[in-house]
Each structure stands twice: as structure tokens, then as C-alpha cells.
Amino acid sequence: MNYCHKIKYQIYSTKKDLFPVMVERLLEQLPEKVAVLRLAFFGMPPTNEEYLVRRKILKEKVLQKFGEEQPALSYVSQPPLHASLILEAHFLENSEDTDVIKYKSIDGLPYVLWENPYGRFLYAGGFQTDILEWSIAKQSIAVFEKIEALLQKEKFPIHSIIRQWNYIERITDFEGENQHYQSFNNARSDFYAKDNWPAGYPAATGIGTNLGGILVDMDAAVFTSADAFTTPIDNKLQVAAHAYSEQVLAASQHKKATPKFERAKSITAGKDRLVYISGTAAIRGEESLTGVGLEKQLHITMENIAQLTGNAHICMLRVYLKEKEDYQQSKELMDGYSLSVPISYMWADVCRDELLIEIEGIALEKGVQ
């Protein structure tokens, strides 16, 4: 069975209850006899102190369930708009003798290595500091140091990162003259400058959280077959984010590094193609569409996604909404696309104040010629 077919994506939700009870209910919904690669929990703690308490509870519950075979794990401080706590799971179905799955950890962070005839694949997450009082710039540098340590340990070059999820507390806020998102972009740019990125930057999302400081999850790949490779995907309707002009960037430490990511990135393995869709919004060229309302921004966003996916069929989406009051309208609009795939809805600040919605996802194309 092809690499792309084996990975499944699902979203689970639970009604409001005590946090440990909600976590247990979500974990009980996971399918049996699958190799879980990644668990991402989304909820809204009231304070950063409580965030750390709940993150500890989460780790304990996952340890109880999985023992020595823990998947990559993250706790994102974003309020889901259709449940009190949700779980996004990435898991591997129907593993074969040629699949070697290793559950490992570094400094207490679990991660997964999957080796198969196409290459070595790394699933890792939960990269953050425990000192959330640090500046966003300092946290960002520390997070990338943790990522680099793992990549070096497992002999993955920096350019092997193919998908990155970047969660940034109060993303558009400023610390003095330093915007949070720009501080993160500066640190990411410095880290990425250590490699030459022969196949383009990763697909990525940079999205706001209400708490939790800087949190990064990632997938990476090193290929061992000529039939497997990654391809950066541009959108002809948009300027590449890493080519933005200074006019659309905010200052941080008197530096304006561009966001280093591709609009999408695909993995081709044999005759199938998996597409990581970066966080996508109503941007044409490099300018946001302003004053057009939620419905227009949503449709432009979906048009941008269609440009990126081509013939690939969407498997899962996350919808980020700046205003929680827009949830019902956005759900009705998304239902109109009749996608029949798992979709989660989050209340989160987008990287530009004028943007009302951002959407990311994963798509699959079978039988690539």
C-alpha cells in the first residue's frame, strides 16, 4: 500500500466536563490497532498557569494510554467553536512488514519515526519553553534550538522539514516595538539560514493563540527512493510569502524577515501525492482583501486553496476565525462546498488584523502520472 494512503486524519470532540474527563473521552475515541503519529489537543485554559497544569495532565493521560509508544503531542491554547475540547489525530492504518515504526523521545518530548521503502519520516511536536514569561523573541530562539537538537539526533537536515505548525500567543500584539509574529519570523529566518532549502521551504501555518507562548509542531522527511520527493507549490494569484515586500511586514528588533514558507508542499510517493496546504487567507498578490466581509474572504480563501490542490482531494481542514460570532455563518458556507471531510473551527487571531478567516488542510491525489 502506498505511503500516502496509509496516513489517516480525524477530528474528535467532547462536551464540556472536567479537563481530565474530557481528555479521557477523546482518547477513548481513537481507533484500535493503528499506529498513532500525532495528537493535537485544542482548548481554552483561563491563564498560562492553568495552561501548564492542563498540559501536564494531558501528558499523564497520554502516557497512561500509550505507555512507551507515545505519539507526538501538543496542547494548543485555541478555543474550538464547536466543542469544549477537540483532538486532531494523525495515524497509520494497515502497516506492513516493510514499515518500521519507532516511538522515541527527546528531553521529555515524544516523537515518532516511520521508516518505509520511500524513506524516513519524522513526526514531532510540542516544542515550547516552560517559561512563558520570556519574550516571544527569546521563546522562538529556544524553540528552534530544541528542533535543531532533534533533527541532529535523528540525522534529518533542516531542509527536511516539510510541514510546520507555528502557534504564537497574541500573534499581532507588540512587545514594545516588536510584533510577536515578526519576532517569530526573524528567529525562523535565522534558523532556516543554516541550510540551503533545495526543494523550497516547508508548508506552514502561523496562527494566533490566546496563551501558551510559542509552540511548534512539524513533519519532516528524508527520501531513499527515486519515486519519492517533495515539491513546493506556488499560487499564481499570490506572491510567495517568502518574497513579500517590506510594506506588508511589521518591525521587530529593527528587522523585517519575511515568513519563510511555501503556499503548499507536496510529497509524491510512487503514484500518489499528499499535499500539505499552508494557512491560507484572502490575499491576492501580497495584499489582503479588506472591507469585503466574511463570505467574500472565505470564498477567496477557498479559491486560493483550489489553486494549490489541483486534482488532489481534501482530506481535512482547520478553519480559524478572528470573530467567534462568525462561526455559524462560516460553517454554513463551508457546508455549501459538500466536502464530507473532518473540519474543525477555531477562534484565533490571524496574522493580519484585517483578515477574518484562515484555512489550512491536507489533500490527497491518487494515481499521479
Side-chain angles (χ1 to χ4, degrees), residues 125-266:
F127 294 102
Q128 61 190 147
T129 72
D130 291 327
I131 308 174
L132 302 181
E133 296 80 15
W134 281 355
S135 71
I136 293 298
K138 186 174 181 179
Q139 288 186 55
S140 299
I141 293 169
V143 163
F144 284 114
E145 288 175 349
K146 291 174 182 285
I147 292 171
E148 186 172 19
L150 173 58
L151 293 174
Q152 289 180 346
K153 174 186 174 183
E154 296 297 343
K155 296 180 172 55
F156 278 72
I158 295 173
H159 72 253
S160 68
I161 302 172
I162 51 177
R163 181 53 163 114
Q164 209 170 286
W165 291 268
N166 308 305
Y167 305 102
I168 301 159
E169 184 174 339
R170 304 189 319 276
I171 188 169
T172 58
D173 281 8
F174 282 77
E175 294 173 327
E177 297 181 353
N178 302 322
Q179 190 210 41
H180 288 189
Y181 186 44
Q182 191 61 56
S183 292
F184 174 83
N185 282 331
N186 292 345
R188 172 170 54 177
S189 184
D190 289 342
F191 174 57
Y192 282 5
K194 298 178 180 181
D195 210 327
N196 58 5
W197 299 93
Y201 294 114
T205 300
I207 196 70
T209 59
N210 63 321
L211 297 167
I214 295 295
L215 169 65
V216 173
D217 295 345
M218 69 171 189
D219 292 351
V222 173
F223 300 106
T224 56
S225 168
D227 292 332
F229 51 89
T230 59
T231 305
I233 303 173
D234 284 327
N235 179 357
K236 65 183 180 182
L237 303 176
Q238 294 181 300
V239 173
H242 51 79
Y244 279 164
S245 67
E246 285 201 0
Q247 282 71 20
V248 296
L249 304 175
S252 180
Q253 300 168 326
H254 309 291
K255 183 177 178 180
K256 289 187 175 184
T258 56
K260 300 296 191 295
F261 70 94
E262 306 293 343
R263 296 297 180 187
K265 197 158 191 179
S266 64

Side-chain angles (χ1 to χ4, degrees), residues 1 11 23 166 178 252 309 326 346:
M1 183 180 290
I11 296 168
V23 172
N166 308 305
N178 302 322
S252 180
T309 54
D326 289 336
M346 310 295 181

Side-chain angles (χ1 to χ4, degrees), residues 8-23:
K8 304 298 179 183
Y9 306 93
Q10 192 54 263
I11 296 168
Y12 305 96
S13 61
T14 184
K15 62 184 179 180
K16 187 175 183 179
D17 209 320
L18 296 176
F19 185 76
V21 175
M22 291 193 293
V23 172

Side-chain angles (χ1 to χ4, degrees), residues 46 81 106 152 244 364:
L81 292 168
I106 183 170
Q152 289 180 346
Y244 279 164
L364 175 65

